[in-house]
Amino acid sequence: MTINQARRKLLIFGMGMSLVSPKIFAAQKIALLDLKSTSDSLHISLPAGDPHARVFRLDNPNRVVIDVSMTAFSSSLMHSLVVVRQKFPWIVHAKIAHFNPETARIVFQLNQPAKINHQTSNGVKWVSVSVMKGAIAAAPAVVEEETTEAPAQSARKIAARPLLVMIDPGHGGKDPGAIGGKGTYEKHVVLDIAKHLQQQLQREFKIHAVLTREDDVFIPLYHRVSLAHQHEADLFVSIHADGFTNDQVSGASVFALSEHGAGSAMARYLSQSENSVDVIYDNDVKTNDAYLKQTLFDLDQTETINRSLDFGKHMAANISTVHHMHNNHIEQAGFVVLKSPRIPSVLVETSFITNHQEEQLLQQPSFQLKMAKALAKGIHGYLMQERKENLIA
Ligand SMILES: [Zn+2]
């Protein structure tokens, strides 16, 4: 670790500021809102002497990527990202994640192509990211609201498009799933619940829902994830009623993907052919740079896991009104079906089929419907929250 890096670490935790030269301090903050910035041009000062600092562009969708040596994200930097996104209407998303333990990567997604200019003045490297003045090139999913407000207050509105939920009844065909003491098959009861859920979503909430399987057929796990991407689903929910060796275990649980699971998913995806990786990314990563792909995957996956956890909370809150919970928190595990890089995904264990009482419940159409209604409310609640947040983002 160099002295500069050590100083940065101190700064990040808010200590020893007076010991550090103002130049390093200014650089560390990454002056995202440099005084030279205007409504169509963002000036970024790169930290002096940082060998890892770089800014580059990616297309389809238009992105600007900023790398900078940083071991932890300061709250002022996080705040800067929020301000930048609000100030510049042409920045659709701002994300930050670790590229490697020492380097942070910030990705701005833009609604139009940008020009990047590298310059050095007084020994300080800076980069200007600019878009054509007055250019209108709204991204497909985002429309700019006509407004006379200052750019900082201008709101982005997600264009109204039909919402779609991919419902995944677990198992099927040669894979029966868990089997209850009375001979009830998980694959059958979860298909029943899934069909009720599809009806509830469409009838009560006008949310379009598609099933990964409508019959007793076997579908490989990755294929289920891929189906969700093909349909451009907004959410993915896998429905199960699994078993345990102890028949006393009971209650519902909601799972999201764990970071560890994400890591191994990444490894698996990357070990597949270049082609299949591109399919996962909706063809917007057409580079042979595996290093870059890995980073983008990490960025997407981290955000998706956070959204999945939030989605899971809505599901658990509603399930708990109709059935007792096995766990009060959202659990995290490396389920393959939860490994969509972009679609918030949860797996619901509606109850344990190996528990005698729950096996009886699972067979009852009234319980299946009650559970489906709770799941539908959870899905609707989360989607409405997302829409609301997108309006103010
Ligand atoms: Zn299962």
Side-chain angles (χ1 to χ4, degrees):
M1 184 185 287
T2 66
I3 290 167
N4 275 358
Q5 281 171 329
R7 281 177 172 170
R8 279 190 200 114
K9 271 199 168 172
L10 282 176
L11 274 169
I12 285 155
F13 295 105
M15 297 181 291
M17 280 186 194
S18 58
L19 300 173
V20 181
S21 80
K23 197 172 170 183
I24 294 172
F25 180 56
Q28 174 57 35
K29 269 174 72 184
I30 314 180
L32 288 168
L33 284 179
D34 200 296
L35 289 176
K36 297 186 201 86
S37 294
T38 61
S39 62
D40 54 5
S41 171
L42 169 66
H43 286 246
I44 301 157
S45 304
L46 295 179
D50 180 350
H52 302 295
R54 60 177 181 152
V55 178
F56 58 97
R57 219 177 61 176
L58 288 172
D59 303 325
N60 293 320
N62 298 303
R63 281 156 294 168
V64 170
V65 181
I66 304 163
D67 281 347
V68 63
S69 293
M70 196 179 288
T71 49
F73 308 142
S74 65
S75 57
S76 70
L77 175 60
M78 300 305 277
H79 181 69
S80 297
L81 292 180
V82 173
V83 173
V84 164
R85 201 175 56 173
Q86 286 174 355
K87 185 176 161 73
F88 300 95
W90 40 276
I91 296 179
V92 184
H93 291 297
K95 292 179 187 174
I96 185 164
H98 269 113
F99 182 51
N100 60 45
E102 292 284 313
T103 314
R105 172 162 286 185
I106 297 162
V107 178
F108 290 131
Q109 190 181 321
L110 316 179
N111 67 3
Q112 56 190 294
K115 231 172 46 193
I116 292 183
N117 272 316
H118 294 263
Q119 295 191 33
T120 306
S121 59
N122 299 328
V124 178
K125 274 195 224 166
W126 59 272
V127 178
S128 79
V129 177
S130 52
V131 290
M132 274 224 298
K133 212 166 195 160
I136 299 161
V142 176
V143 290
E144 209 54 50
E145 215 177 36
E146 273 195 52
T147 176
T148 52
E149 291 170 327
Q153 282 126 35
S154 76
R156 286 192 195 93
K157 203 188 257 176
I158 292 292
R161 68 172 184 89
L163 294 166
L164 190 143
V165 176
M166 181 61 66
I167 304 170
D168 174 46
H171 314 281
K174 65 181 179 186
D175 169 20
I179 300 170
K182 288 260 166 70
T184 311
Y185 279 33
E186 178 186 0
K187 66 174 182 176
H188 295 316
V189 292
V190 295
L191 181 58
D192 290 340
I193 295 172
K195 285 181 174 172
H196 282 303
L197 174 57
Q198 183 184 33
Q199 277 195 344
Q200 284 297 313
L201 285 172
Q202 297 186 161
R203 213 181 275 162
E204 299 296 319
F205 301 109
K206 309 287 175 250
I207 294 171
H208 194 50
V210 179
L211 302 183
T212 53
R213 67 177 178 96
E214 294 185 345
D215 304 296
D216 183 17
V217 290
F218 175 77
I219 299 176
L221 297 176
Y222 274 113
H223 189 54
R224 297 167 192 248
V225 177
S226 151
L227 276 172
H229 279 263
Q230 280 168 29
H231 282 84
E232 298 183 338
D234 295 283
L235 295 177
F236 179 93
V237 53
S238 192
I239 300 174
H240 291 252
D242 270 346
F244 195 61
T245 46
N246 179 350
D247 63 8
Q248 296 304 303
V249 173
S250 69
S253 329
V254 180
F255 287 85
L257 187 64
S258 65
E259 293 281 353
H260 179 255
S264 45
M266 179 194 69
R268 210 163 305 172
Y269 280 127
L270 291 176
S271 68
Q272 290 173 350
S273 70
E274 294 294 327
N275 215 10
S276 62
V277 174
D278 279 351
V279 168
I280 293 299
Y281 282 103
D282 307 327
N283 292 319
D284 71 357
V285 181
K286 289 207 175 87
T287 167
N288 289 320
D289 185 350
Y291 191 41
L292 183 62
K293 275 181 192 164
Q294 176 178 335
T295 308
L296 292 173
F297 192 109
D298 285 345
L299 280 171
D300 285 339
Q301 193 81 74
T302 304
E303 188 184 277
T304 305
I305 288 177
N306 288 335
R307 290 168 68 201
S308 301
L309 287 168
D310 202 11
F311 174 30
K313 282 180 198 156
H314 280 264
M315 296 300 261
N318 283 282
I319 295 169
S320 66
T321 64
V322 299
H323 195 56
H324 75 276
M325 300 298 292
H326 177 65
N327 251 321
N328 282 323
H329 59 273
I330 308 306
E331 297 188 71
Q332 287 182 268
F335 288 111
V336 171
V337 288
L338 300 182
K339 290 173 178 175
S340 278
R342 290 191 183 158
I343 304 170
S345 307
V346 296
L347 185 146
V348 177
E349 297 284 5
T350 50
S351 52
F352 282 86
I353 205 164
T354 43
N355 176 281
H356 186 60
Q357 285 86 27
E358 294 200 330
E359 181 182 5
Q360 285 184 320
L361 275 178
L362 282 164
Q363 290 175 310
Q364 293 170 9
S366 61
F367 177 79
Q368 294 173 353
L369 183 63
K370 212 160 69 169
M371 180 59 73
K373 281 184 174 174
L375 299 178
K377 277 186 194 164
I379 289 167
H380 177 252
Y382 175 73
L383 285 173
M384 290 308 104
Q385 181 196 300
E386 266 220 330
R387 278 234 157 135
K388 216 163 102 191
E389 284 172 359
N390 281 330
L391 277 177
I392 49 168

